[in-house]
Amino acid sequence: MNIRMVLLASAAAFAASTPVLAADAIVAAEPEPVEYVRVCDAYGTGYFYIPGTETCLKIEGYIRFQVDIGEEPLNGSESNDSDWDARTRGQVQFTAKSDTEYGPLTGVIVMQFNADNASDQDAILDSAYLDIAGFRAGLFYSWWDDGLSGETDDIGSIVTLHNSIRYQYESGTFYAGISVDELEDGFYKTGEEPNNVGVAFGLGGTAGAFSYQLTGGWDFDNEDGAIRAMGTVEIGPGTLGLAAVYSSGPNSYYSAAEWAVAAEYAIKATDKLKITPGVQYYGDYYVAGDDFSDGDAWKVGLTVDYQIVDNFYAKASVQYLDPEDADDSTTGYFRLQRSF
């Protein structure tokens, strides 16, 4: 028997002695359960549940392109010697809400991104606060940020965004509240330093076609305060707005003048077009230093809003200011904005 026959015989014997095993079954892995995004309609439109939680989240914001016009250098910037300047902004807001035994717990983060050009850009925290049972704490805008609907009125603070804590009671068409504000970047008299503190209050509401608001604030370091009344009423094809403000001295809540009155009439020309002329008069207009001047000032302007399509509008505004103790000026802007 040659070697070939030996090998064949060995192979046959091994095959005969080895049991035949069935191929192992292929078991497919079970797919992981997927929780799809669910709409949350408990707090209004736009909210959805964060998967795996009972927290509702809403994402919104806007994209804005704007061209400013004014005296050169525009906006007081020595790097821009032109009387016009284009800039772009993107803003996104996250609002989270969930139910608790004390009512809805709300958290808000607003991020803002501004670009004057490719190299001159900034990203800022525009707001971040928590809110529950009427209490709010964090970085948010005060009642002094409110104003009439046009662009002519100058009845608010220079800086209205503060680290604050406040309580606000709300009941249908009425609200009233009080806040303690850190006034680090407002108005300072000679010798005053940052870390100022102020107390403000706000109350307002609506009654049919009429709305009203009363706002006040006391700046402890500057030892001066201000109070403002504002109201609107629907008359004819538009809304008439009136406002008056008084300040005991320049302070972080109001420093434009010792007193001022403003008026506007927002005309709803069509469903998409609104035209708002406005006027303001300043008594003892602030120019410089620690006190108001003896000279007055007046301001007149026009703002036009046009809704191009849903969530996309154009706005144009021009304002003329004539102080008695300073140079007059003309400013304005053209804006395109898409909200989402």
Side-chain angles (χ1 to χ4, degrees), residues 16 33 78 119 146 150 158 163 167 170 185 192 208 210 217 221 235 246 263 266 289:
E78 297 296 338
S119 58
D146 299 336
I158 298 174
N163 281 309
Y167 175 75
E170 297 183 11
D185 47 5
E192 295 297 337
F210 176 71
D221 279 16
I235 298 177
Y246 168 77

Side-chain angles (χ1 to χ4, degrees), residues 149-167:
S149 64
E151 300 296 313
T152 304
D153 61 289
D154 179 16
I155 53 174
S157 309
I158 298 174
V159 178
T160 58
L161 182 65
H162 312 297
N163 281 309
S164 306
I165 183 168
R166 87 177 188 194
Y167 175 75

Side-chain angles (χ1 to χ4, degrees), residues 56-74:
C56 298
L57 181 67
K58 182 176 183 178
I59 302 174
E60 57 189 321
Y62 65 81
I63 301 165
R64 174 187 294 176
F65 172 76
Q66 182 166 310
V67 178
D68 296 327
I69 60 171
E71 306 295 331
E72 57 179 88
L74 189 62

Side-chain angles (χ1 to χ4, degrees), residues 60-129:
E60 57 189 321
Y62 65 81
I63 301 165
R64 174 187 294 176
F65 172 76
Q66 182 166 310
V67 178
D68 296 327
I69 60 171
E71 306 295 331
E72 57 179 88
L74 189 62
N75 299 329
S77 173
E78 297 296 338
S79 63
N80 186 348
D81 60 358
S82 174
D83 56 4
W84 69 275
D85 186 36
R87 52 197 177 98
T88 300
R89 171 183 294 174
Q91 178 169 303
V92 61
Q93 174 173 330
F94 302 91
T95 304
K97 289 181 176 289
S98 57
D99 284 330
T100 74
E101 57 186 308
Y102 302 104
L105 171 62
T106 301
V108 174
I109 299 175
V110 182
M111 292 297 301
Q112 192 178 99
F113 308 90
N114 300 290
D116 188 48
N117 51 56
S119 58
D120 185 5
Q121 302 184 20
D122 62 54
I124 64 173
L125 182 64
D126 192 59
S127 293
Y129 60 87

Side-chain angles (χ1 to χ4, degrees), residues 294-315:
D294 292 330
D296 298 339
W298 61 275
K299 184 180 182 183
V300 63
L302 180 69
T303 303
V304 178
D305 295 90
Y306 183 73
Q307 182 180 326
I308 302 171
V309 295
D310 287 346
N311 302 317
F312 183 43
Y313 77 88
K315 180 191 285 280

Side-chain angles (χ1 to χ4, degrees), residues 57-289:
L57 181 67
K58 182 176 183 178
I59 302 174
E60 57 189 321
Y62 65 81
I63 301 165
R64 174 187 294 176
F65 172 76
Q66 182 166 310
V67 178
D68 296 327
I69 60 171
E71 306 295 331
E72 57 179 88
L74 189 62
N75 299 329
S77 173
E78 297 296 338
S79 63
N80 186 348
D81 60 358
S82 174
D83 56 4
W84 69 275
D85 186 36
R87 52 197 177 98
T88 300
R89 171 183 294 174
Q91 178 169 303
V92 61
Q93 174 173 330
F94 302 91
T95 304
K97 289 181 176 289
S98 57
D99 284 330
T100 74
E101 57 186 308
Y102 302 104
L105 171 62
T106 301
V108 174
I109 299 175
V110 182
M111 292 297 301
Q112 192 178 99
F113 308 90
N114 300 290
D116 188 48
N117 51 56
S119 58
D120 185 5
Q121 302 184 20
D122 62 54
I124 64 173
L125 182 64
D126 192 59
S127 293
Y129 60 87
L130 54 89
D131 199 309
I132 186 169
F135 289 94
R136 177 174 295 183
L139 181 71
F140 56 90
Y141 287 92
S142 76
W143 297 291
W144 283 94
D145 188 66
D146 299 336
L148 301 176
S149 64
E151 300 296 313
T152 304
D153 61 289
D154 179 16
I155 53 174
S157 309
I158 298 174
V159 178
T160 58
L161 182 65
H162 312 297
N163 281 309
S164 306
I165 183 168
R166 87 177 188 194
Y167 175 75
Q168 180 167 302
Y169 168 79
E170 297 183 11
S171 176
T173 58
F174 174 78
Y175 73 88
I178 186 169
S179 70
V180 178
D181 309 318
E182 183 185 35
L183 306 176
E184 279 196 298
D185 47 5
F187 179 92
Y188 301 104
K189 294 181 181 178
T190 303
E192 295 297 337
E193 301 293 339
N195 279 341
N196 193 359
V197 64
V199 174
F201 74 85
L203 62 87
T206 59
F210 176 71
S211 68
Y212 62 94
Q213 184 189 78
L214 183 65
T215 306
W218 180 260
D219 183 335
F220 282 91
D221 279 16
N222 289 309
E223 297 183 343
D224 278 302
I227 189 167
R228 180 188 68 189
M230 182 168 57
T232 63
V233 60
E234 296 179 13
I235 298 177
T239 302
L240 175 67
L242 299 172
V245 59
Y246 168 77
S247 178
S248 63
N251 63 86
S252 291
Y253 288 111
Y254 193 71
S255 59
E258 182 177 8
W259 61 273
V261 290
E264 70 171 29
Y265 186 58
I267 306 167
K268 193 172 179 61
T270 68
D271 289 341
K272 294 187 174 183
L273 177 64
K274 184 174 73 172
I275 303 171
T276 308
V279 62
Q280 178 159 332
Y281 187 83
Y282 305 81
D284 297 337
Y285 184 74
Y286 178 80
V287 177

